[in-house]
C-alpha cells in the first residue's frame, strides 16, 4: 500500500477535520517532529514540512476530529448548551448600559434566508410614530394613537385608545429564576413547552432593548429550559456561521412543527439571530428613516 492508498483508507474510516483545524494540527505535529516550539511562521512550516511523511501528517490530522463533526449540515456540538448560553449571558452583561433618549428610535435591520429583508424604526418611549418596513405605526400620546394602514379610508388617522410601549425595557427581571418565571407566565405555560419559551426569548432579544442585567438573565434563564441541544455547523439567516441552541418541539405538536434554533457567534457568543433570520444592525437613531 502506497501513501495515497493509506491516506484514502484513513480518510474514509475517520472523516476529514474541518478546514480551520488543519493548519494548527499540522504545525503541532511537525514542530514536535523537529523538537521545536510549535508557533512557527507558515513559510518556515512549509520549508521544513517537505521532509516529513505527508501520509503521517494527514492521518494524524484526520484523527483529531470525530466523524460526526465532519458531516454536512447541523450536527450535535461538543459544546454543552448550558455552557454556550452561560457564555452568551456573560457577553450580554458587557453590553453598554447607557440608556437611549426617549425621543430616539431603535433601528433594527434583519436579513432573512428567504427575502424580503426587514428594517424597523421603533419609538423608544412608544409616543412617536414608528415605521415597520413601509408601514407606519401610530405613537401613543395622551392615551390615544392614530390609526394607519386601515382598509377603511375614513378610519385613517382617527384616534384609538392605547398605552405607550417602550422598546427599552426596564421592567424585566435581572435574575435567571425570575426571568424564567416571567417567560413561563408570559406564555401561560408551566409545562416546559420549550419551543414557545425559545420564541419568547427571541422576541425579547430581537427588536427590543434590555438592560445588560436583564439581557444576561434572559440567556441564563434559557439555560434552565429542559431538552436543549447545541448544534455545530449552523448559520443564521444571512449565512453567518455559529453555534445553535435548539429548543425542542413539545410532545403532541403537529408533525409540521419546527423547533426554533437560536444562533450565537461561536467565538464571542454574541446573539446573531435564528437559522432563518439574522440581526445585522441594532442601534439608536434620531429620526425615522435614518440609517447608521
Amino acid at each position: 500500500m502506497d501513501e495515497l492508498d493509506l491516506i484514502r483508507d484513513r480518510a474514509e474510516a475517520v472523516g476529514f477535520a474541518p478546514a480551520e483545524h488543519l493548519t494548527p494540527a499540522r504545525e503541532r505535529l511537525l514542530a514536535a517532529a523537529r523538537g521545536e516550539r510549535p508557533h512557527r511562521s507558515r513559510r518556515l512550516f512549509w520549508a521544513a514540512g517537505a521532509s516529513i511523511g505527508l501520509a503521517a501528517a494527514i492521518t494524524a490530522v484526520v484523527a483529531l476530529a470525530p466523524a460526526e463533526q465532519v458531516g454536512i449540515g447541523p450536527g450535535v456540538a461538543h459544546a454543552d448548551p448550558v455552557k454556550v448560553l452561560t457564555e452568551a449571558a456573560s457577553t450580554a452583561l458587557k453590553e453598554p448600559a447607557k440608556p437611549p433618549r426617549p425621543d430616539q428610535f431603535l433601528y433594527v435591520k434583519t436579513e432573512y434566508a428567504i427575502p424580503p429583508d426587514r428594517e424597523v424604526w421603533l419609538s423608544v418611549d412608544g409616543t412617536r410614530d414608528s415605521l415597520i418596513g413601509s408601514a407606519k405605526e401610530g405613537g401613543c400620546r395622551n392615551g390615544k394613537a392614530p390609526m394607519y394602514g386601515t382598509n377603511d379610508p375614513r378610519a385613517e388617522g382617527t384616534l384609538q385608545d392605547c398605552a405607550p410601549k417602550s422598546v427599552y425595557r426596564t421592567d424585566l427581571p435581572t435574575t435567571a429564576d425570575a426571568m424564567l418565571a416571567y417567560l413561563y407566565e408570559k406564555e401561560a405555560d408551566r409545562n416546559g413547552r420549550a419551543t414557545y419559551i425559545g420564541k419568547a426569548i427571541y422576541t425579547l432579544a430581537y427588536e427590543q432593548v434590555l438592560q445588560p442585567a436583564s439581557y444576561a438573565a434572559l440567556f441564563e434563564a434559557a439555560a434552565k429550559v429542559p431538552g436543549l441541544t447545541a448544534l455545530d455547523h449552523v448559520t443564521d439567516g444571512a449565512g453567518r456561521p455559529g453555534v445553535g441552541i435548539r429548543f425542542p418541539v413539545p410532545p403532541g405538536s403537529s408533525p409540521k412543527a419546527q423547533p426554533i434554533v437560536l444562533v450565537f457567534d461561536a467565538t464571542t457568543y454574541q446573539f446573531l439571530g435564528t437559522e432563518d433570520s439574522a440581526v445585522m444592525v441594532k442601534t439608536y437613531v434620531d429620526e425615522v428613516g435614518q440609517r447608521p
Side-chain angles (χ1 to χ4, degrees), residues 117-121 131-136:
D117 297 333
R118 174 181 170 96
E119 287 183 292
V120 301
W121 290 264
L131 189 63
I132 300 174
S134 60
K136 194 174 181 180

Side-chain angles (χ1 to χ4, degrees), residues 7-284:
I7 294 170
R8 186 180 302 108
D9 291 347
R10 184 60 174 164
E12 290 176 353
V14 180
F16 282 103
E20 65 267 24
H21 293 174
L22 296 177
T23 298
R26 289 193 195 98
E27 291 176 349
R28 290 195 300 271
L29 178 68
L30 298 178
R34 295 193 302 267
E36 298 172 359
R37 295 176 64 87
H39 298 296
R40 306 284 290 179
S41 73
R42 188 176 298 245
R43 182 166 55 185
L44 290 177
F45 158 71
W46 286 115
S51 62
I52 306 297
L54 178 61
I58 294 180
T59 300
V61 169
V62 168
L64 292 175
E68 64 267 20
Q69 278 193 315
V70 184
I72 299 174
V76 176
H78 291 295
D80 181 348
V82 174
K83 170 68 173 176
V84 172
L85 289 166
T86 300
E87 292 292 346
S90 178
T91 296
L93 200 57
K94 299 173 185 176
E95 290 285 327
K98 183 179 179 180
R101 297 194 319 268
D103 63 338
Q104 287 187 300
F105 293 84
L106 175 65
Y107 171 73
V108 182
K109 180 180 180 181
T110 307
E111 291 187 10
Y112 291 96
I114 301 176
D117 297 333
R118 174 181 170 96
E119 287 183 292
V120 301
W121 290 264
L122 304 174
S123 172
V124 165
D125 66 1
T127 68
R128 292 158 180 81
D129 291 352
S130 298
L131 189 63
I132 300 174
S134 60
K136 194 174 181 180
E137 184 176 275
C140 182
R141 296 177 288 274
N142 300 318
K144 299 290 183 180
M147 297 175 62
Y148 298 120
T150 65
N151 293 326
D152 184 357
R154 294 172 298 178
E156 191 74 10
T158 59
L159 299 178
Q160 60 181 342
D161 293 339
C162 65
K165 296 180 180 179
S166 174
V167 295
Y168 181 67
R169 303 293 300 272
T170 60
D171 59 326
L172 296 176
T174 57
T175 66
D177 289 339
M179 180 65 79
L180 188 61
Y182 169 83
L183 293 170
Y184 279 130
E185 181 179 2
K186 179 179 176 63
E187 295 302 318
D189 180 350
R190 297 180 182 275
N191 296 319
R193 299 181 71 181
T195 296
Y196 297 116
I197 298 302
K199 290 178 180 177
I201 290 169
Y202 173 69
T203 297
L204 287 173
Y206 177 35
E207 289 180 354
Q208 298 185 61
V209 180
L210 280 59
Q211 296 181 96
S214 294
Y215 198 24
L218 184 67
F219 296 131
E220 290 172 347
K224 294 178 175 288
V225 174
L228 301 180
T229 306
L231 304 174
D232 274 336
H233 309 304
V234 299
T235 57
D236 67 9
R240 296 178 298 184
V243 58
I245 301 298
R246 181 171 61 195
F247 290 75
V249 174
S253 297
S254 165
K256 296 181 179 180
Q258 296 293 321
I260 186 170
V261 176
L262 303 185
V263 181
F264 298 85
D265 186 282
T267 302
T268 66
Y269 299 98
Q270 181 181 10
F271 172 68
L272 298 179
T274 70
E275 288 182 304
D276 302 316
S277 65
V279 182
M280 305 303 294
V281 183
K282 186 175 182 180
T283 189
Y284 300 114

